[in-house]
């Protein structure tokens, strides 16, 4: 399978459906629409990159309350197909028509917007007072989080699908032009460029001074962030991938479009295990979540699977009604799956048992951002919601 360059249509119509959603409560929890004040912002209310951390694990320790309510919702007017990011009491979202919006986490009120004549596939990334994001035309923008003013811009030669990663004071960003760029965090000037020879759609993940890239060339690249040079030989994947590599301890995990999941020891480049569905090869277009014990993946074939992180053995499976383009997220004892049919599914981490299903009118294409006791999720109707503790009775 080859990777094909894609971008949103420039004449994509504005979404105008009202932010109406249906609720289907199953098993242990229920999501109820409630007009209520926002809960206080906690110390852990940060989700600064699409996968939650620079290792790309998509995992946090806290389990969200059993019952969640809509604390607020904000309508941006255009489809959002990426994950919101959150820090210092602000939520940031980017839509497919090129608008960046900052929202107050407490109230749901907009703080600022910045419109570009482009579109965004990627999520923003936050570090301190800076927000960095790349667009479908290959531009990279650094903005001040307080007011949206531009600090600098840079250019690549291809669409940017993955979120940027901060390393020390600099920025790592991948492009469909086949390159990984290290840019100065102060000026946007190139520090170095690493070329793979084929498209890269993932976000760069970090372990110490190494970053990891899967690409359409069918290899896993390990790159020294200081020098911009490859570390060791390329690790063959047997097919292309657009998935962001997940790293935990010494283990790096990546899934491919051909249905393979690989676990490597990133220190010496040896393979720990590989997994493929024995009955039907699954097609993986998103990224795995990693816990201490499990690797969670979802496929274009509407399957959510848990793989034992140490052995590569299959542990459980859950079947979706429609596939999930969003990567799985693990919050404590739960797996959260956002599906394209607007269903937000909550599964038990250890068993895969369904705990709840909530259906929104808009399709869900980006993962939720998990906070201390709430989450932020956006849909392709352009509606951003904060879901938090239900009002006390």
């Amino acid at each position: 399978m080859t990777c094909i360059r894609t971008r949103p249509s420039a004449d994509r119509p504005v979404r105008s459906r009202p932010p109406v959603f249906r609720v289907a409560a199953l098993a242990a929890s229920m999501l109820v629409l409630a007009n209520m004040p926002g809960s206080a912002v906690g110390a852990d209310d940060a989700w600064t990159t699409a996968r939650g951390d620079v290792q790309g694990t998509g995992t946090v320790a806290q389990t969200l309350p059993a019952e969640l309510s809509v604390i607020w919702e904000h309508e941006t007017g255009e489809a959002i197909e990426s994950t919101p990011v959150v820090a210092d009491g602000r939520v940031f979202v980017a839509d497919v028509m090129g608008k960046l919006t900052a929202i107050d986490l407490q109230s749901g009120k907009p703080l600022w917007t910045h419109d570009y004549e482009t579109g965004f596939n990627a999520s923003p990334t936050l570090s301190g007072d800076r927000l960095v994001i790349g667009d479908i035309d290959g531009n990279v923008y650094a903005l001040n989080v307080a007011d949206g003013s531009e600090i600098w811009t840079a250019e690549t030669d291809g669409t940017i699908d993955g979120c940027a990663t901060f390393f020390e004071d600099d920025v790592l960003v991948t492009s469909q032009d086949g390159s990984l760029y290290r840019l100065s965090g102060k000026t946007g000037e190139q520090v170095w460029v690493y070329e793979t020879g084929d498209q890269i759609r993932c976000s760069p993940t970090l372990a110490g001074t190494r970053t990891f890239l899967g690409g359409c060339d069918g290899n896993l690249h390990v790159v020294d962030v200081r020098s911009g040079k490859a570390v060791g030989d390329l690790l063959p994947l047997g097919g292309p991938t657009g998935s962001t590599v997940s790293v935990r301890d010494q283990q790096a995990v990546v899934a491919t479009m051909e249905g393979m999941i690989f676990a490597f020891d990133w220190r010496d480049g040896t393979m720990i295990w590989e997994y493929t569905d024995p009955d039907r090869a699954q097609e993986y277009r998103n990224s795995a979540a990693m816990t201490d014990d499990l690797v969670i993946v979802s496929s274009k074939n509407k399957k959510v699977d848990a793989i034992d992180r140490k052995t590569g053995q299959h542990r459980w499976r859950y079947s979706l009604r429609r596939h999930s383009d969003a990567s799985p997220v693990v919050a404590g004892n739960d797996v959260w799956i956002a599906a394209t049919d607007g269903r937000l599914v909550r599964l038990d981490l250890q068993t895969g048992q369904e705990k709840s299903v909530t259906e929104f009118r808009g399709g869900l294409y980006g993962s939720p951002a998990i906070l201390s006791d709430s989450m932020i999720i956006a849909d392709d109707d352009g509606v951003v919601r904060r879901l938090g503790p239900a009002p006390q009775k």
Side-chain angles (χ1 to χ4, degrees):
M1 181 179 295
T2 57
C3 291
I4 301 173
R5 291 179 186 265
T6 57
R7 64 172 55 190
S9 171
D11 58 356
R12 181 170 184 162
V14 174
R15 301 287 182 130
S16 59
R17 290 183 293 178
V20 177
F21 64 94
R22 300 184 301 278
V23 178
L26 300 175
S29 68
M30 179 182 296
L31 200 67
V32 183
L33 178 63
N35 295 318
M36 57 175 288
S39 60
V41 176
D44 296 327
D45 281 331
W47 187 273
T48 59
T49 187
R51 297 303 290 145
D53 55 41
V54 295
Q55 291 78 37
T57 64
T59 299
V60 292
Q62 62 269 24
T63 301
L64 297 184
E67 293 188 8
L68 299 175
S69 298
V70 175
I71 297 174
W72 53 254
E73 57 184 30
H74 172 76
E75 187 173 2
T76 66
E78 295 289 355
I80 299 169
E81 298 183 354
S82 57
T83 298
V85 292
V86 185
D88 297 327
R90 299 181 179 94
V91 177
F92 300 90
V93 291
D95 69 39
V96 299
M97 298 303 286
K99 182 170 67 177
L100 282 169
T101 303
I103 304 168
D104 182 79
L105 176 61
Q106 186 76 8
S107 67
K109 303 298 183 182
L111 299 172
W112 55 259
T113 60
H114 197 132
D115 288 296
Y116 292 94
E117 295 181 359
T118 179
F120 293 111
N121 293 340
S123 296
T125 301
L126 302 172
S127 179
D129 62 356
R130 289 175 297 168
L131 175 153
V132 173
I133 190 171
D135 69 16
I136 63 171
D137 291 329
N139 301 302
V140 186
Y141 308 98
L143 296 87
N144 188 302
V145 298
D147 57 13
S149 59
E150 279 191 5
I151 301 171
W152 52 258
T153 63
E155 295 182 359
T156 75
D157 293 324
T159 294
I160 296 172
D161 295 302
C163 68
T165 299
F166 284 91
F167 176 76
E168 296 177 346
D169 292 329
D170 290 344
V171 176
L172 304 175
V173 64
T174 60
S175 171
Q176 281 195 31
D177 66 12
S179 298
L180 166 69
Y181 296 82
R182 179 174 174 176
L183 305 175
S184 166
K186 295 181 179 179
T187 65
E189 295 180 351
Q190 290 183 13
V191 178
W192 50 252
V193 179
Y194 175 87
E195 298 180 354
T196 68
D198 209 336
Q199 297 174 42
I200 309 174
R201 295 183 174 185
C202 68
S203 304
T205 49
L206 287 175
T209 59
R210 297 184 186 184
T211 189
F212 304 85
L213 307 169
C216 289
D217 68 343
N219 293 300
L220 178 65
H221 299 252
V222 184
V223 181
D224 184 277
V225 183
R226 297 198 184 282
S227 67
K229 305 297 184 182
V231 178
D233 297 328
L234 301 180
L235 305 177
L237 302 176
T241 181
S243 302
T244 295
V245 179
S246 302
V247 179
R248 200 174 187 94
D249 302 324
Q250 78 278 10
Q251 194 176 61
V253 170
V254 64
T256 75
M257 298 176 189
E258 302 291 346
M260 300 294 294
I261 305 171
F262 295 93
F264 294 95
D265 186 321
W266 59 263
R267 298 170 303 181
D268 58 19
T270 58
M271 186 183 296
I272 301 172
W273 51 259
E274 61 179 271
Y275 172 84
T276 187
D277 189 313
D279 299 319
R280 178 187 180 186
Q282 303 295 313
E283 181 183 348
Y284 300 111
R285 292 274 181 165
N286 52 32
S287 307
M290 290 181 72
T291 73
D292 288 338
D293 303 316
L294 296 174
V295 173
I296 310 295
V297 291
S298 64
S299 75
K300 295 291 281 188
N301 302 86
K302 302 181 287 188
K303 306 301 181 185
V304 181
D305 290 297
I307 313 300
D308 188 286
R309 202 188 123 201
K310 294 181 180 178
T311 66
Q313 297 299 306
H314 190 267
R315 291 274 291 271
W316 55 255
R317 166 167 285 179
Y318 176 86
S319 295
L320 298 165
R321 290 187 182 179
R322 286 185 61 184
H323 71 272
S324 173
D325 283 352
S327 300
V329 170
V330 175
N333 300 323
D334 299 322
V335 177
W336 292 92
I337 304 292
T340 56
D341 60 359
R343 289 160 61 90
L344 179 64
V345 182
R346 186 178 196 171
L347 305 175
D348 182 90
L349 174 62
Q350 297 303 321
T351 67
Q353 180 179 358
E354 183 181 284
K355 290 186 173 182
S356 71
V357 177
T358 305
E359 187 172 353
F360 299 93
R361 170 171 285 185
L364 304 175
Y365 288 82
S367 306
I370 306 296
L371 308 180
S372 58
D373 65 351
S374 62
M375 73 164 62
I376 307 293
I377 193 164
D379 65 27
D380 72 348
D381 278 343
V383 181
V384 187
R385 296 179 177 91
R386 183 182 181 189
L387 312 179
Q392 294 184 358
K393 299 178 180 179

